[in-house]
């Protein structure tokens, strides 16, 4: 495997003294899609938020986060974005009062360090023709799937090296789920590294290279997607959550 572009070690996160995450190691290589699954409350959102530097709930975060050889764990969120560590927010966070066109504002490109692959709005439209059809609609008028596409499009305009996604399939029609996940797969084909939190294990297995199961903040399984997907502990995690 090529060298990791995202390398996480001894990442611990606590909210008000309660440990939510204790992850020994996680690495994602360029072109690789890694999926994180687990029951509700297992720490999946906590993981991607900590990597992105999002501090909702004022967590205490310790550990090493290295992006393309540079430690970024002491950096503010916007500095990490500039360096190419970009979190696609949950779909409902699309700017509702702005049109699709305005949401895909060219100003995002200015956030990226020079020399990186930054998507232009038309390239986002080429990737998601549905968004082009809806270009004059407000964010609030979009379906869940369209919002997810918009979030991914905005992230691509920021010149990511690593894309972090928190449950991109949530609330999406099944056809839309496969479309969004397949687009992510094809983006990985361009060398992007993708870390994907996903409740929909079956759909995730189709597109991820490696799957990681979190249980109470710890990694209990990691391996090739199909192998891990067959492990009874995956089913248990989800049955236990219902
Ligand atoms: P879900 O699928 O339900 O979103 P998850 O695997 O993403 O679950 P997290 O949201 O990361 O899990 O939560 C992990 C633990 O951290 C839980 O015990 C949760 O209650 C706690 N937690 C998460 N966010 C906060 C917060 N802002 N303040 C306090 N505790 C939090």
């Amino acid at each position: 495997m090529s060298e990791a572009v995202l390398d996480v070690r001894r990442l611990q996160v606590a909210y008000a003294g309660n440990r939510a995450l204790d992850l020994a190691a996680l690495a994602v290589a360029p072109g690789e899609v890694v999926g994180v699954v687990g029951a509700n409350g297992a720490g999946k959102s906590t993981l991607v938020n900590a990597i992105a530097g999002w501090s909702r709930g004022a967590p205490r975060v310790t550990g090493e986060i290295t992006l393309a050889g540079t430690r970024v764990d002491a950096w503010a969120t916007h500095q990490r974005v500039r360096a190419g560590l970009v979190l696609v927010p949950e779909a409902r966070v699309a700017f509702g009062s702005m049109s699709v066109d305005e949401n895909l504002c060219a100003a995002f490109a200015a956030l990226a360090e020079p020399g990186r692959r930054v998507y232009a709005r038309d390239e986002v439209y080429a990737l998601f023709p549905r968004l082009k059809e809806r270009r004059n609609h407000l964010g609030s008028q979009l379906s869940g799937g369209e919002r997810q596409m918009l979030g991914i499009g905005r992230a691509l305009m920021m010149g990511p090296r690593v894309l972090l996604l928190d449950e991109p399939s949530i609330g999406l029609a099944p056809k839309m789920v496969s479309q969004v996940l397949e687009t992510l797969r094809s983006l990985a084909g361009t060398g992007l590294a993708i870390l994907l939190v996903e409740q929909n294990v079956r759909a995730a297995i189709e597109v991820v290279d490696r799957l990681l199961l979190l249980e109470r903040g710890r990694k209990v399984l990691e391996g090739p997607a199909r192998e891990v997907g067959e492990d009874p502990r995956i089913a248990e995690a989800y049955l236990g959550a219902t």
Side-chain angles (χ1 to χ4, degrees), residues 169-238:
S169 76
I170 210 158
L172 267 56
K175 203 175 144 204
M176 206 56 117
V177 171
S178 37
Q179 199 181 326
V180 166
L181 293 181
E182 274 157 26
T183 303
L184 292 175
R185 181 73 254 172
S186 71
L187 288 169
T190 69
L192 199 61
I194 298 180
L195 182 65
L196 175 73
V197 164
E198 196 42 82
Q199 279 281 358
N200 189 336
V201 182
R202 294 291 143 221
I205 287 171
E206 298 300 319
V207 297
V208 307
D209 298 298
R210 255 184 314 130
L211 206 56
L212 196 143
L213 173 66
L214 283 186
E215 235 175 62
R216 285 186 287 277
R218 289 175 181 266
K219 179 166 72 178
V220 292
L221 269 178
E222 182 179 7
R226 294 208 177 270
E227 224 169 84
V228 171
E230 297 294 318
D231 194 290
R233 279 173 285 181
I234 293 280
E236 277 163 28
Y238 285 90

Side-chain angles (χ1 to χ4, degrees), residues 15 20 38-47 56-57 166-167 199:
Y15 298 98
N40 288 327
K44 307 180 297 296
S45 301
T46 297
L47 170 65
R56 210 182 56 178
D166 193 354
E167 301 197 15
Q199 279 281 358

Side-chain angles (χ1 to χ4, degrees), residues 58-78:
R60 178 178 147 71
V61 182
T62 58
E64 293 175 18
I65 302 168
T66 305
L67 178 69
T70 302
R71 283 278 297 271
V72 300
D73 41 85
W75 293 8
T77 307
H78 69 272

Side-chain angles (χ1 to χ4, degrees), residues 93-165:
V93 192
F95 301 139
S97 58
M98 285 162 66
S99 70
V100 168
D101 250 358
E102 287 164 345
N103 263 283
L104 295 172
C105 167
F108 285 126
L111 292 174
E113 282 165 347
R116 286 233 307 286
R117 168 83 169 93
V118 169
Y119 278 65
R121 181 159 56 198
D122 283 344
E123 291 177 290
V124 173
Y125 286 147
L127 196 62
F128 296 118
R130 178 69 186 153
L131 279 186
K132 187 170 189 182
E133 288 165 31
R134 308 277 277 164
R135 63 188 302 163
N136 296 317
H137 286 70
L138 297 181
S140 58
Q141 298 171 316
L142 302 180
S143 72
E146 291 161 353
R147 283 181 204 206
Q148 196 53 247
M149 293 172 183
L150 188 57
I152 295 170
R154 278 210 312 249
L156 292 172
M157 295 177 83
M158 298 176 195
R161 281 182 165 118
V162 177
L163 215 51
L164 307 165
L165 295 106

